[in-house]
Amino acid sequence: MHRLAERAGGVWRNKVLRRLLILIAIVLAYQLWLTIQAVGKVDDGVGLRPDADGRFAVDVRLGFAPERFHILELQQHGRVSGSDGETVHLRGVSDAGVDALAHFYWIEEIAPGEGRTS
């Protein structure tokens, strides 16, 4: 038991290993935060009316006017059918796409979209 305590103390004395462990802890905490905050972003009505392929339309509110980067990222999860100010309209989004979108820290809300889904 005493040797194990000495080894653990030795790990914290190694500057490189200590920094690596702290960095890993920070990354894990950030990923946990992204997962927790993602839950509150998705409106309850999202995905209630899927098309024959199980896809649906969503409105993604960013809280700022979208730039090219944001549109390109959103296109990875559905087809952009336009935007109004701070909201981007996506069609053909899957459940997995909504989950992925909710993890982006710059997205404030995901609500059911209007119109056709395909």
Side-chain angles (χ1 to χ4, degrees), residues 1-2 8 12-14 17-18 24 27 39 41 48 51 70 73 80 87-88 104 116:
M1 185 75 143
H2 189 266
W12 287 111
R13 285 188 209 115
N14 184 334
L17 190 55
R18 181 175 61 231
I24 290 171
V27 169
V39 174
K41 289 183 180 182
L48 291 181
D51 65 8
H70 305 104
E73 286 295 317
V80 174
T87 302
V88 178
F104 288 124
R116 294 178 42 128

Side-chain angles (χ1 to χ4, degrees), residues 16-77:
V16 173
L17 190 55
R18 181 175 61 231
R19 288 180 181 171
L20 180 63
L21 290 173
I22 289 171
L23 180 63
I24 290 171
I26 290 170
V27 169
L28 289 175
Y30 178 67
Q31 291 300 319
L32 178 63
W33 174 77
L34 286 176
T35 301
I36 291 170
Q37 59 88 30
V39 174
K41 289 183 180 182
V42 182
D43 188 272
D44 291 337
V46 171
L48 291 181
R49 294 182 292 153
D51 65 8
D53 295 326
R55 297 182 181 269
F56 41 88
V58 296
D59 290 339
V60 180
R61 189 168 61 83
L62 305 179
F64 55 88
E67 296 178 7
R68 185 173 189 271
F69 166 80
H70 305 104
I71 297 297
L72 291 174
E73 286 295 317
L74 295 174
Q75 284 178 338
Q76 300 298 316
H77 305 289

Side-chain angles (χ1 to χ4, degrees), residues 64-111:
F64 55 88
E67 296 178 7
R68 185 173 189 271
F69 166 80
H70 305 104
I71 297 297
L72 291 174
E73 286 295 317
L74 295 174
Q75 284 178 338
Q76 300 298 316
H77 305 289
R79 289 183 307 282
V80 174
S81 62
S83 64
D84 297 318
E86 299 177 345
T87 302
V88 178
H89 310 288
L90 292 176
R91 297 184 304 172
V93 180
S94 66
D95 285 328
V98 170
D99 290 341
L101 290 170
H103 280 81
F104 288 124
Y105 70 90
W106 41 268
I107 290 178
E108 290 188 2
E109 180 183 19
I110 302 171

